[in-house]
Amino acid sequence: MTMANDDKVTLRAVPAAVESVHGAWVVQLPRFGAEGTHYHTYGLLTPYFKGLGEGRLLGTKCVNPRCPVSSGSGELWLPPRADCPDCHQPMTWQEVKEPRGYIYSYTHVERGGTGLEIACPYYQIDVKIDGVCTIIKSYLLDRRPIKIGERVRARFRTGPEATHTCLDLCWELE
Amino acid sequence: MITFAPGNLRVPRWTRPVYMVAAGTTDFRKRYPEKKLDELCMMAFRMLLEENDLRQDPLEVKGHINFACYGEFADHFQDQLLCEAKVHDYLGLDLLPNVGIKTGGATGGSTMLMGATTVASGMSDCTLVLGWERMDEVKTWTGNYYIASAACKEFETRLARNYASYYAPMARRFQEMYGVDERVRAEIAVKNRGYACSSPYAQQPGRHTVDEVLGGEIVSDPLRFLECCAMSVGSAAALLCSEELAFQLTDRPVRLYIAGGSHTLRTGDRRPMRILLLPHETEEGYASLYRDMGKQDGRWPGFESFGATRFAAYMAYRMAGVQNPIEDLDLVETHDAFTISDLQTYGDVGLTLYGREQDYVTSGDCYLKNPHTGKPGKCPANLSGGLLGTMHAVGATGIFQCDEVFWQLQGKYDRFHGDPALWRRYGKEKPADWTSLQVDDPRRGLAISHAGVGSHVTCAVLERAW
């Protein structure tokens, strides 16, 4: 178990190498060391991962008036989806300005599997973001004890700190 | 809000009934260097053919097999694609057709489901169902990483690389919503690991105390080490066949009904819906639960329940004519990969109402002998030792659970757990304090096989057919 001395969680991540192919980010995910690499496309969700690196949180919503669930004014989805699961039409991107929410659930991770890039221990949290219908899994920078219901605000890893992965979104207690 | 169209809720109707006539298994270990994978599968296959009192010679029985369904969770562990072909060849079943099944932790159950459909449809009169996992070819924490690859890799896997950490938020949320005492979860670990002491197949039997469980190291808060299953190696098998063949092969055939459900991989993506009611439940019965959920921003199935389990039970109960599970079932095997998944499942399968799972466990009805009354529990759970006490060799797990229910219904628990020769086969001595866990004259049992944080679930009802 690694216990950092400071009260903020740190990463051991290096920025993932990203190649742009036909407008989509293709990220290299090292798995078996230098000899083995998987290439994984973010496809139509590329704007989400680009957005994190720019300090912006982007969700998607269905605006199809014929959708049997959204009727043209769907709720925001995070994680986003390019296509609506209810009517199968393309969804529309929308930024969540100054994202805030509350801790819907959490766990204090004391041991992670091989290759974990977040320094243990840390809080993995499920965040209910204001105005979003789904609940996104993420992690908390703070190390002090927390409770369900506590308010949090988003933080981003941008510029040279960006990993180009979901780790670029994290949260701090308000 | 998810809503169902009538076609979505069609209860499966099989063209022919399906019977289980034989079971086989290996013992389960953390490491099993003595045997290659295909050799372990042969152990289970040989036991299935030779030790189930079938009326025909083992090779005659083998001569009935038309189809094989093989369950294996992850190629990663062995760095070997298409193990199915190697195993099938090794068992001497070439050139019969086979298929490989993979639905995460529910792989074993899905393999039973697939095998059953081959018989029900007429594709086969006799299908071998066999599953395995060999998780000892990588280090434990690499194994955790591999299993965590079953979480969403874009949005979740990097946030722990350890599956306990995806169950822990469900445990936390369940605990908060229903005011669950941690001692209840610990009691489940104590019970199931204790039952494993009677099993020669068990990997980690133990007579623990609640305080010992709670005093253990945390894996992912609030789950402690003794609340989590371990990496396993082993294989399990079942033989399914048509009615005519079943009564030719055995005087104790067991009828099988099985159905599946499936839900989103990411817990947080579960959209709220109305509770899918089991035959004995009513909307009014859940009025107060809906009110409580409203106060705590809860949703069904949300973080507190498994929609896929409820869906599978909804279908399987109607297939089997189960009207009230606590009255109609004599034993259950839940998928207790973590104590919390066992606890949550009691509501999903309707042994108690949602929200009252804690009370159900403390009532003692999930024990063979109710510790409070000394009388038989209404519906004992995980007499096999469960995943916590016996094993989670993933592709084998759901099959092994059906095997255990099958032997219970045949009244053969003692024979398959109490024979000293069986213990010696696996290099063990039968404990001096060995206890029979045979249920008194059971007629129906249930086995749940469960993947992800509830992404795939099968619900099997097994019923005495003689």
Side-chain angles (χ1 to χ4, degrees):
Chain A
M1 189 189 311
T2 307
M3 172 64 91
N5 290 325
D6 62 355
D7 62 354
K8 297 289 182 187
V9 167
T10 56
L11 297 186
R12 293 186 288 259
V14 294
V18 173
E19 184 184 8
S20 186
V21 181
H22 303 308
W25 266 12
V26 177
V27 60
Q28 295 183 17
L29 296 172
R31 176 156 156 166
F32 296 117
E35 296 301 315
T37 300
H38 282 66
Y39 301 92
H40 176 57
T41 184
Y42 287 145
L44 297 175
L45 294 190
T46 296
Y48 175 81
F49 291 96
K50 278 186 179 173
L52 295 184
E54 296 162 357
R56 300 194 307 142
L57 185 61
L58 298 171
T60 55
K61 64 178 184 178
C62 178
V63 294
N64 173 20
R66 300 184 64 187
C67 176
V69 174
S70 78
S71 303
S73 56
E75 297 174 285
L76 207 58
W77 285 68
L78 267 168
R81 299 180 184 209
D83 303 300
C84 173
D86 300 311
C87 67
H88 317 135
Q89 296 306 302
M91 302 213 342
T92 299
W93 289 98
Q94 180 178 303
E95 182 176 355
V96 182
K97 296 282 188 186
E98 297 184 8
R100 287 182 154 78
Y102 76 90
I103 297 170
Y104 192 80
S105 194
Y106 67 91
T107 179
H108 194 232
V109 180
E110 304 215 3
R111 288 167 186 254
T114 298
L116 180 63
E117 297 147 299
I118 310 172
C120 288
Y122 64 94
Y123 285 101
Q124 179 202 103
I125 56 174
D126 297 277
V127 183
K128 181 76 177 69
I129 303 170
D130 301 340
V132 176
C133 70
T134 45
I135 298 163
I136 192 166
K137 192 176 284 299
S138 189
Y139 64 105
L140 192 68
L141 286 174
D142 305 87
R143 279 199 156 109
R144 77 162 176 76
I146 57 173
K147 291 185 298 194
I148 285 176
E150 285 196 86
R151 300 286 304 176
V152 290
R153 61 175 167 246
R155 287 287 175 266
F156 300 91
R157 295 189 180 274
T158 59
E161 284 197 330
T163 66
H164 311 311
T165 71
C166 64
L167 299 177
D168 290 346
L169 171 66
C170 51
W171 301 80
E172 272 188 336
L173 293 166
E174 281 204 85
Chain B
M1 174 73 78
I2 288 180
T3 54
F4 296 102
N8 301 139
L9 293 179
R10 175 194 176 273
V11 176
R13 285 192 300 273
W14 288 345
T15 304
R16 304 194 300 175
V18 178
Y19 291 80
M20 182 167 168
V21 297
T25 187
T26 63
D27 62 328
F28 296 91
R29 304 183 190 180
K30 170 90 170 172
R31 293 187 181 80
Y32 219 135
E34 296 91 332
K35 301 250 184 190
K36 270 160 45 67
L37 171 70
D38 21 21
E39 296 159 357
L40 287 167
C41 292
M42 180 61 91
M43 280 173 70
F45 187 48
R46 201 158 49 214
M47 184 176 185
L48 172 142
L49 291 174
E50 297 178 1
E51 299 177 33
N52 282 271
D53 307 314
L54 297 178
R55 289 202 191 108
Q56 295 179 6
D57 177 82
L59 293 184
E60 278 185 87
V61 176
K62 184 179 179 183
H64 291 296
I65 296 174
N66 309 132
F67 205 101
C69 296
Y70 294 126
E72 180 198 64
F73 167 47
D75 300 318
H76 302 14
F77 285 110
Q78 294 151 119
D79 206 18
Q80 169 69 67
L81 298 179
L82 271 185
C83 276
E84 297 88 350
K86 288 184 73 174
V87 168
H88 197 60
D89 166 24
Y90 197 80
L91 299 181
L93 291 170
D94 290 343
L95 301 166
L96 301 174
N98 76 67
V99 292
I101 316 292
K102 180 180 72 63
T103 54
T107 293
S110 297
T111 309
M112 291 291 291
L113 174 60
M114 178 65 197
T117 60
T118 65
V119 174
S121 67
M123 161 90 72
S124 167
D125 272 343
C126 184
T127 293
L128 171 67
V129 174
L130 189 141
W132 61 80
E133 215 68 51
R134 112 154 284 146
M135 306 169 91
D136 60 348
E137 297 198 353
V138 294
K139 291 178 181 173
T140 294
W141 292 100
T142 299
N144 273 285
Y145 161 37
Y146 282 171
I147 295 165
S149 301
C152 171
K153 72 175 181 180
E154 288 106 348
F155 293 98
E156 292 184 335
T157 302
R158 284 178 185 270
L159 295 168
R161 298 197 191 280
N162 173 18
Y163 231 88
S165 301
Y166 310 122
Y167 266 90
M170 299 186 75
R172 171 66 60 199
R173 182 79 200 172
F174 190 88
Q175 191 167 316
E176 296 268 329
M177 175 74 91
Y178 300 128
V180 173
D181 186 333
E182 293 197 318
R183 298 183 74 82
V184 175
R185 286 204 327 269
E187 181 181 335
I188 290 166
V190 170
K191 175 175 77 68
N192 296 357
R193 288 172 187 270
Y195 284 157
C197 293
S198 285
S199 174
Y201 317 113
Q203 178 178 325
Q204 40 192 22
R207 302 210 185 277
H208 302 284
T209 63
V210 165
D211 289 334
E212 197 179 340
V213 175
L214 294 178
E217 265 192 81
I218 297 270
V219 176
S220 199
D221 167 60
L223 299 175
R224 281 97 171 167
F225 262 87
L226 289 173
E227 295 187 70
C228 306
C229 65
M231 302 280 160
S232 295
V233 182
S235 174
L239 197 65
L240 305 183
C241 55
S242 64
E243 185 170 76
E244 185 182 2
L245 185 58
F247 282 92
Q248 281 178 36
L249 290 178
T250 176
D251 57 0
R252 291 187 177 183
V254 167
R255 183 111 182 238
L256 171 70
Y257 306 88
I258 183 167
S262 176
H263 208 177
T264 171
L265 192 62
R266 297 191 295 246
T267 320
D269 276 13
R270 295 177 183 173
R271 289 188 287 175
M273 63 182 99
R274 300 298 290 182
I275 295 171
L276 201 57
L277 298 175
L278 296 177
H280 63 299
E281 295 177 336
T282 61
E283 280 284 338
E284 296 73 43
Y286 282 127
S288 64
L289 181 78
Y290 282 120
R291 280 196 298 275
D292 290 347
M293 286 196 296
K295 288 177 198 160
Q296 298 185 59
D297 202 8
R299 44 180 78 185
W300 189 87
F303 278 51
E304 296 87 16
S305 309
F306 300 113
T309 309
R310 173 50 67 106
F311 193 92
Y314 177 95
M315 291 295 174
Y317 288 171
R318 283 165 173 79
M319 291 171 78
V322 171
Q323 294 299 319
N324 185 347
I326 193 68
E327 301 298 332
D328 296 348
L329 299 172
D330 299 305
L331 72 155
V332 299
E333 288 284 323
T334 68
H335 187 98
D336 57 329
F338 305 100
T339 50
I340 184 63
S341 48
D342 179 275
L343 187 58
Q344 290 180 273
T345 297
Y346 294 121
D348 293 319
V349 301
L351 285 168
T352 186
L353 289 172
Y354 280 123
R356 298 189 191 166
E357 294 89 341
Q358 172 175 223
D359 301 334
Y360 177 69
V361 170
T362 56
S363 75
D365 279 334
C366 60
Y367 286 80
L368 180 65
K369 186 164 93 174
N370 188 317
H372 309 301
T373 65
K375 294 179 180 172
K378 281 189 177 176
C379 192
N382 298 315
L383 296 170
S384 69
L387 283 61
L388 289 169
T390 295
M391 68 94 167
H392 191 20
V394 188
T397 304
I399 303 167
F400 177 79
Q401 292 172 294
C402 288
D403 288 359
E404 288 276 351
V405 173
F406 171 77
W407 283 326
Q408 279 274 0
L409 295 179
Q410 288 191 322
K412 293 181 181 172
Y413 178 89
D414 290 8
R415 173 155 161 210
F416 281 101
H417 301 81
D419 181 353
L422 202 54
W423 288 80
R424 286 195 294 274
R425 181 187 294 178
Y426 306 124
K428 304 173 185 176
E429 278 300 315
K430 182 181 173 184
D433 61 349
W434 182 86
T435 307
S436 171
L437 301 179
Q438 175 68 54
V439 177
D440 183 29
D441 194 28
R443 296 208 62 82
R444 273 189 184 137
L446 175 142
I448 294 293
S449 193
H450 179 121
V453 283
S455 64
H456 301 73
V457 179
T458 63
C459 176
V461 176
L462 294 98
E463 181 181 271
R464 267 170 65 170
W466 72 93

